[in-house]
Amino acid sequence: MKPLICVIILFISVGVNAQQQDEIEMFILKQMNDQKITSLSIGVIENGKIIKEIGYGFANIELKISASQNTVYKLGSLSKQMVAAGIMLLI
């Protein structure tokens, strides 16, 4: 069984308090469960500085290796959409 690996990077430019952070974490975990996402890494940036880096789930399910902020993911065909979006910005 091939694990579904998804990378989501969130850039948030406003501060959040502890209650909001808990709500965000609950939302992330719910979405991972609902969409059957096995691994997720998130970075939160505020005023140009990284304020939070965290990994959820498993980078390798079979070996039970947890995901972290340093987990390397396979991009697959995702780079095609990134290039297309970049080209559209130039037009």
Side-chain angles (χ1 to χ4, degrees):
M1 176 173 113
K2 264 186 157 172
L4 170 65
I5 306 235
C6 182
V7 178
I8 298 178
I9 301 173
L10 298 177
F11 295 100
I12 300 174
S13 61
V14 295
V16 293
N17 62 32
Q19 181 182 1
Q20 288 173 321
Q21 287 181 359
D22 291 340
E23 290 174 9
I24 292 169
E25 185 141 340
M26 287 175 28
F27 174 79
I28 291 168
L29 294 173
K30 181 181 181 320
Q31 292 302 312
M32 286 183 68
N33 187 44
D34 291 350
Q35 298 182 35
K36 297 179 178 38
I37 298 170
T38 59
S39 182
L40 176 76
S41 295
I42 295 177
V44 180
I45 299 175
E46 182 178 12
N47 297 326
K49 294 185 180 181
I50 298 172
I51 60 170
K52 185 172 186 172
E53 296 175 289
I54 190 165
Y56 296 95
F58 291 105
N60 187 317
I61 296 172
E62 294 153 356
L63 299 177
K64 302 287 187 205
I65 298 172
S66 296
S68 73
Q69 67 270 21
N70 297 320
T71 300
V72 178
Y73 296 93
K74 293 181 181 179
L75 290 177
S77 294
L78 184 64
S79 58
K80 294 173 189 170
Q81 288 86 356
M82 300 291 186
V83 171
I87 291 171
M88 291 304 292
L89 288 172
L90 296 173
I91 294 176

